[in-house]
Amino acid sequence: VGKKVQAIYLWWHKPVIDKELLQSLPNLKVIANSGVGMDHLDLKLVASFGVKMANAPRAVSSTTADTGMALLLASARRLVEVHNISISPSMEYCEADILGVKLAGATLGIIGMGSIGYKIALRAKAFEMKILYHNRTRRKVQDEQAVDATYCRRIDSLLQQADFVMLVVSLTPQTHKLIGKKELELMKPTATLINISRGAVVDQEALVAALQTGVIRAAALDVTSPEPLPRDHPLLKLKNVIITPHLGIKTDKATYMITEEAVENILAALSGLPLPSEVLPS
Amino acid sequence: MWHHKPAIDEELLQSLPNLKVVASSGVGIDHLDLKLLSSYGVKVSNTPFIVSTDTADMGMALLLASSRRLVEGHEMAVSPDTEYFPADWLGVEVSGATLGIVGMGTIGYKVAERAKAFEMKILYHNRNQRKKEEESAVGAVYCKKIDDLLQQSDFVLLAVNLTPQTHKLIGKRELELMKPTATLINISRGLIVDQDALVEALQNKVIKAAALDVTYPEPLPRDHPLLKLKNVIITPHIGSATKTTRWVMMEEMAESIEAGLAGLPVPREVL
C-alpha cells in the first residue's frame, strides 16, 4: 500500500510526518496542508526526500481575521461571562458591574501584518479603532493609509500604546516566545492580549503570572501549548481569560476552500507542474 | 432614570408635584408614556447618539460569537471532560455572508459600516429608504418588503425601536421565511420578537440560532426555555455598557436635568 501513496492531504496536523513515514512511502510526491501554518512540519526533512509541500494561504485569511475579531469583541464586552450570568439559576447581578470596554477610539496593536493581520486591520478600522502594527518589514504607504495603520518598528512602542494586542505571526524560531515577561510588563495594565497565531508565540507561564497579578487585564486565546491544555492548567480557571478550541478556519466555507486549494496543489505536483502555493524550506 | 426604573405612572406623577424633568438613560423611550408626562408638564430627555457605536459593536459581537460558536467553544476548551478538539467541529462563515439589517437608523447604519469590513453583503429594511450615497458607502441594498430580506439573509439583525408597529414584528411567519441556516440577532427590544414563536422555531430548527441582548422580560424567568437552548446566546442588555459610554450618558443626563431645572431648553429632549 505504501508504494501507491503519491500525495498526502494533511488534516489538522495528522498524520505526523516523520522519517519513518517518509521512508515507508517511496512514491510520495506532495504533502498538501489544510491551513497556512507549517510549523508542525520538518520542511528540510520532507524536502530531503524529494517531496514537495504546499499550504492553503488564500482561503484562510478572512476566516482567521474573523476569529480574531470575534475574540476581540467577546473579550472587550465580557461576552462569555455575561452569557453565563444571563442563563445562571441565580438572577442576582448588578448591571452596573458588567461594564466592558469601548472599541471606538481604542488602540489595536497588530503584531504580524501579513494577509491575516491586514484583514484584521480592515475590520478594526470599521470599528473606529486606532491601528498600530509591527512587522518584519514595513507595508507600502498605500496599504498603511487604506487602513490608517501606523508602523511601529520597535515592538516595545506598540506594546506600550495598545489597548488590545493581537498576535498574527507565523511560528518560527524568531517568534517563539515573542511575548514573554518583559513584553507583558510593557503592556498597559488595562490591555488585552489576543492570540490567533500559535500557542508557542507566547511564554504561557509568564502569561499566567501576568493575568493573575493584574499586569494585563485579560487574554483571549484561540491557540495554546498544547491543544487542548491539560485539564488542571491555571489558564482554564482564570476569570479574565477566554479560550477557544482553535477556531481559526473552522467554518463550512473555509474548510471547503482549503480543500480545493490543497487539491489544486496535489494535482499540480502529480502532473509535474508548478504548485500554486508551494512552501520551501527557508 | 436607569434601566427603566422607577416605573413612571399616574400615581408617581401625582406624588411628585414639583417634578420638572425625567432624564432617561439610553435611546429607547418605549417604557415611558410621553403623553402622560407631557400632561403633567414634565420634560423628558434621553441619550440617543452616544449609545450607537457600542450597541452596533454588541450586534457584531453577538453575530460573530454565534456564527463561530464562541461560547460553546470556550466551554469545550475549559471543560474537565475535554480530551481533544474534534476535527469536524465547525462554525458558519461570516466573511462574504449576507446580513439583513431590520431598522437602518443610526445604530443599524453603524452595524452596516462594520459588517462591510467583513466583506458581508448587506440588505436592509427600513420605514424609509436611505439616500443613495449612504447606501453606496456601505454597499447596502434596500428591501422594501421585509420578506425579501428575511428570505435572503444568513444573519438577520434587529435594530428598530419599539413602537406599536414593530411590536412582534418577527413572529412565526417571519421566522419561517428565514433560511433554516440563518441566525437572528436582537439588539432592539425583546417585544419586537414573538418570543414563544422564537422558542418553537429554534427547537424545530426552523432557524439555526439566535443571539439576544434583549428579551421580555429582562431577565427571563429562570425556567424559560430560551435559557436551555444550546443554539442561543443571551446577554443582559449590555448594548451600551462600556465605562466610557456610561460616563458620557451620565454627563448628558445631568446636563439635561440642570437645563430642565433652570427652565432652559433641554438638550436631547424627547417630544
Side-chain angles (χ1 to χ4, degrees):
Chain A
V1 172
K3 296 223 172 95
K4 289 191 182 170
V5 177
Q6 295 186 70
I8 291 178
Y9 178 31
L10 211 60
W11 185 257
W12 231 244
H13 308 185
K14 291 195 175 70
V16 174
I17 309 287
D18 54 19
K19 201 163 187 177
E20 245 191 88
L21 185 73
L22 290 166
Q23 281 168 340
S24 72
L25 306 172
N27 291 317
L28 182 65
K29 291 195 171 48
V30 58
I31 297 173
N33 191 43
S34 60
V36 65
M38 300 292 273
D39 48 283
H40 53 289
L41 285 170
D42 185 337
L43 303 179
K44 286 205 173 78
L45 176 69
V46 174
S48 73
F49 278 81
V51 176
K52 287 182 189 264
M53 291 163 290
N55 62 355
R58 287 193 320 268
V60 303
S61 43
S62 294
T63 315
T64 315
D66 291 354
T67 302
M69 292 305 294
L71 285 170
L72 170 67
L73 282 158
S75 185
R77 304 303 291 270
R78 300 166 66 177
L79 202 119
V80 174
E81 203 185 328
V82 300
H83 169 80
N84 288 331
I85 290 172
S86 293
I87 63 167
S88 91
S90 144
M91 276 205 293
E92 293 181 46
Y93 65 87
C94 182
E95 220 229 76
D97 287 339
I98 342 177
L99 298 181
V101 174
K102 183 173 178 145
L103 290 189
T107 301
L108 170 64
I110 302 174
I111 298 178
M113 194 78 134
S115 327
I116 301 172
Y118 195 73
K119 291 213 166 182
I120 289 170
L122 283 165
R123 283 148 177 72
K125 178 174 195 284
F127 286 81
E128 303 166 49
M129 297 187 82
K130 289 199 196 70
I131 300 165
L132 304 174
Y133 78 100
H134 174 74
N135 205 38
R136 278 172 302 186
T137 53
R138 193 171 170 169
R139 281 239 173 194
K140 292 190 217 137
V141 176
Q142 309 98 288
D143 289 349
E144 284 184 348
Q145 282 175 350
V147 294
D148 244 316
T150 305
Y151 183 55
C152 290
R153 202 170 46 84
R154 289 175 60 243
I155 199 178
D156 294 21
S157 168
L158 178 152
L159 294 169
Q160 283 164 326
Q161 299 176 72
D163 300 302
F164 297 88
V165 175
M166 178 129 27
L167 305 175
V168 202
V169 287
S170 46
L171 178 61
T172 65
Q174 292 75 42
T175 62
H176 184 262
K177 287 196 179 167
L178 177 68
I179 304 296
K181 186 174 195 285
K182 167 169 148 356
E183 289 71 27
L184 292 161
E185 283 172 355
L186 282 169
M187 283 170 68
K188 294 181 177 181
T190 50
T192 302
L193 180 71
I194 301 147
N195 190 2
I196 54 167
S197 305
R198 284 289 181 269
V201 172
V202 175
D203 177 343
Q204 232 162 232
E205 274 176 38
L207 176 63
V208 170
L211 288 164
Q212 284 171 334
T213 56
V215 166
I216 64 170
R217 186 185 74 92
L221 314 169
D222 191 42
V223 288
T224 57
S225 280
E227 286 168 21
L229 288 167
R231 298 294 88 186
D232 57 356
H233 198 282
L235 275 174
L236 302 189
K237 297 174 188 60
L238 291 169
K239 292 215 96 187
N240 49 352
V241 176
I242 294 176
I243 304 182
T244 46
H246 204 143
L247 299 178
I249 49 161
K250 284 183 178 157
T251 68
D252 42 8
K253 188 172 160 191
T255 310
Y256 194 82
M257 284 168 69
I258 60 178
T259 305
E260 274 190 330
E261 269 193 88
V263 169
E264 263 179 54
N265 280 290
I266 288 172
L267 290 176
L270 297 182
S271 320
L273 292 166
L275 275 59
S277 36
E278 184 167 8
V279 178
L280 300 162
S282 48
Chain B
M1 165 177 265
W2 279 100
H3 312 314
H4 312 180
K5 294 192 176 73
I8 309 268
D9 54 19
E10 186 123 39
E11 244 189 272
L12 184 72
L13 290 171
Q14 279 168 347
S15 70
L16 303 172
N18 291 317
L19 183 66
K20 291 191 171 51
V21 59
V22 168
S24 183
S25 66
V27 60
I29 35 103
D30 45 280
H31 55 290
L32 292 169
D33 186 336
L34 297 178
K35 284 206 174 78
L36 179 68
L37 283 154
S38 180
S39 73
Y40 278 79
V42 176
K43 291 185 187 252
V44 176
S45 74
N46 62 354
T47 61
F49 298 111
I50 191 62
V51 302
S52 321
T53 309
D54 287 344
T55 311
D57 287 357
M58 197 65 214
M60 292 304 294
L62 287 170
L63 188 156
L64 284 160
S66 180
S67 62
R68 303 302 297 274
R69 300 169 68 184
L70 196 135
V71 175
E72 215 185 316
H74 172 83
E75 277 163 20
M76 189 196 329
V78 306
S79 151
D81 304 324
T82 295
E83 288 172 31
Y84 62 88
F85 297 150
D88 59 351
W89 193 94
L90 301 176
V92 164
E93 188 83 16
V94 168
S95 282
T98 301
L99 170 64
I101 303 174
V102 180
M104 194 80 132
T106 312
I107 296 172
Y109 196 76
K110 287 206 174 228
V111 172
E113 285 174 331
R114 283 146 180 72
K116 177 174 195 285
F118 287 79
E119 305 150 41
M120 296 186 89
K121 291 192 193 71
I122 299 164
L123 306 173
Y124 77 102
H125 175 73
N126 205 38
R127 275 173 303 188
N128 309 304
Q129 187 165 0
R130 280 233 176 198
K131 294 190 211 134
K132 276 234 164 330
E133 315 86 70
E134 291 172 340
E135 284 184 341
S136 340
V138 295
V141 174
Y142 183 55
C143 290
K144 192 150 187 259
K145 290 170 71 240
I146 198 178
D147 296 21
D148 292 332
L149 179 150
L150 295 169
Q151 284 167 324
Q152 298 177 72
S153 299
D154 301 302
F155 299 91
V156 175
L157 191 147
L158 307 175
V160 286
N161 49 356
L162 179 60
T163 66
Q165 292 75 40
T166 62
H167 183 264
K168 287 198 181 169
L169 177 68
I170 305 296
K172 187 177 199 289
R173 186 187 92 85
E174 289 71 28
L175 291 161
E176 281 172 358
L177 282 169
M178 284 170 67
K179 295 181 179 182
T181 49
T183 300
L184 180 72
I185 299 139
N186 192 1
I187 51 167
S188 304
R189 284 288 180 270
L191 285 172
I192 310 267
V193 176
D194 176 343
Q195 229 163 238
D196 294 336
L198 177 62
V199 170
E200 233 189 278
L202 288 163
Q203 285 170 337
N204 299 334
K205 306 202 176 168
V206 169
I207 65 170
K208 190 184 165 91
L212 316 168
D213 187 41
V214 288
T215 57
Y216 188 78
E218 284 167 15
L220 288 167
R222 297 296 88 188
D223 58 357
H224 197 284
L226 276 174
L227 304 187
K228 298 176 188 56
L229 290 169
K230 293 220 92 193
N231 49 352
V232 177
I233 295 178
I234 301 183
T235 51
H237 201 150
I238 49 166
S240 64
T242 66
K243 265 198 185 150
T244 314
T245 295
R246 286 291 162 87
W247 187 264
V248 176
M249 282 163 73
M250 279 204 276
E251 283 184 327
E252 291 190 345
M253 288 158 76
E255 199 192 356
S256 299
I257 288 170
E258 283 177 340
L261 297 180
L264 293 165
V266 174
R268 296 166 292 281
E269 183 173 4
V270 181
L271 301 162

